[in-house]
Amino acid sequence: MTGRGGSRGGTLLRTVSPGTCLEMQAALEVTARHCGRELDQYGQCVAAKPESWQRDCHHLKMSIARCTSNHPIIRQIRQACAEPFEAFEECLRQNEAATGNCAEQVRRFLQCAEQVQPASPPAGVQARPLPAS
């Protein structure tokens, strides 16, 4: 996973424990899907400023946090997939030395997350397209 270069979080996973790495992989997959622009900007900043990224890229890190906290689909995933995520975390606790044993739990969580559909707007409210960025 650390060999993954470029954008979408690949540069962020250099020095983490294997359990944290698996958990981060699951979180990054969901984040990349729904807050990819913010994640890309942060990754580019980190790569461009190896000496000062913690200070210089902090505002971009916070934009990822805002996106994941405020994005309706991520809120829905947290609610709808709480059970598979808790099973995944429990597996990591029980398999600290062999986190690869938790691949099935992470697969179930990601499968759940993929099935979550955005909530429909209330009746009578029309969804407007987002402005192009």
Side-chain angles (χ1 to χ4, degrees):
M1 186 156 120
T2 56
R4 203 164 109 182
S7 60
R8 302 263 188 221
T11 57
L12 306 178
L13 303 177
R14 292 238 162 89
T15 57
V16 293
S17 69
T20 304
C21 192
L22 261 182
E23 193 167 335
M24 202 177 273
Q25 176 188 1
L28 278 173
E29 286 193 34
V30 172
T31 302
R33 191 171 302 134
H34 302 289
C35 299
R37 183 175 57 94
E38 291 84 353
L39 197 60
D40 283 344
Q41 289 173 344
Y42 181 62
Q44 289 170 9
C45 182
V46 169
K49 302 183 180 224
E51 302 297 321
S52 60
W53 67 269
Q54 289 181 321
R55 180 188 63 237
D56 293 342
C57 305
H58 180 74
H59 67 287
L60 295 170
K61 181 179 177 181
M62 298 314 299
S63 73
I64 295 169
R66 275 190 302 278
C67 179
T68 58
S69 294
N70 296 323
H71 200 293
I73 192 75
I74 293 177
R75 286 182 178 180
Q76 287 177 252
I77 289 169
R78 284 185 187 142
Q79 194 169 25
C81 302
E83 190 174 308
F85 190 74
E86 287 169 11
F88 171 51
E89 286 187 320
E90 179 62 25
C91 181
L92 289 177
R93 280 191 291 276
Q94 293 176 359
N95 292 281
E96 287 183 29
T99 58
N101 293 344
C102 300
E104 181 61 22
Q105 285 81 357
V106 78
R107 185 193 66 74
R108 285 187 196 136
F109 167 71
L110 291 172
Q111 184 177 37
C112 176
E114 288 172 6
Q115 293 174 1
V116 173
Q117 297 296 315
S120 302
V125 175
Q126 291 185 1
R128 293 184 309 212
L130 294 174
S133 30

